Amino acid sequence: MNWIDLTSEEEYRLIKEKSNKRPQVIFKHSTRCSISSMAKHRLEKAFAPGEMDFYHLDILKHRNLSNQIASDLEVWHESPQIIVIKNEVSVYDESHSGIRMEYITEHAELN
């Protein structure tokens, strides 16, 4: 898994633009939460399709950005949380034990 750190509004804007060409995935992660660490580890052990980009958002450092993304994409803010973006909208979001690579791939319509 090759995580790309998401730290700014400008990076988020570029992610939305890139979603018009290929699915983009944002993982909202809390470094203080064992469930979040478990979900991150589970994703890192799975095969990550090359047709998507995977972003890591540390919600403790970037809470305002996390809230902005939730509002903009009209998803409830959770942590841990995975959001799949295609054509500048969220096509899938899930949290906690529901975060699985096979679900991400399915909703990104890569199968």
Side-chain angles (χ1 to χ4, degrees):
M1 172 74 61
N2 183 26
W3 293 110
I4 303 166
D5 287 331
L6 172 53
T7 60
S8 72
E9 291 179 28
E10 177 63 19
E11 290 169 334
Y12 170 60
R13 187 186 64 73
L14 292 173
I15 289 168
K16 283 186 69 176
E17 285 180 19
K18 286 170 54 175
S19 77
N20 289 307
K21 296 189 179 184
R22 60 192 266 154
Q24 303 294 301
V25 180
I26 297 174
F27 177 64
K28 291 182 170 187
H29 175 60
S30 170
T31 56
R32 292 186 196 153
C33 174
S34 61
I35 295 171
S36 190
S37 294
M38 181 181 66
K40 183 175 184 252
H41 180 70
R42 187 172 44 241
L43 289 175
E44 291 171 342
K45 285 178 34 178
F47 171 75
E51 298 92 350
M52 295 186 280
D53 299 314
F54 290 84
Y55 294 87
H56 175 269
L57 175 60
D58 181 334
I59 65 162
L60 298 178
K61 290 182 182 176
H62 305 286
R63 181 62 185 231
N64 288 341
L65 179 57
S66 178
N67 289 337
Q68 176 191 349
I69 291 168
S71 175
D72 182 58
L73 295 176
E74 299 178 346
V75 298
W76 187 259
H77 166 78
E78 297 187 76
S79 172
Q81 183 177 39
I82 204 80
I83 303 170
V84 179
I85 305 168
K86 287 179 67 175
N87 300 317
E88 300 192 25
V89 298
S90 170
V91 295
Y92 178 69
D93 72 281
E94 186 58 76
S95 66
H96 295 83
S97 61
I99 297 174
R100 302 213 178 261
M101 189 63 73
E102 59 267 27
Y103 301 154
I104 294 167
T105 303
E106 176 184 325
H107 286 86
E109 298 179 355
L110 297 178
N111 299 6

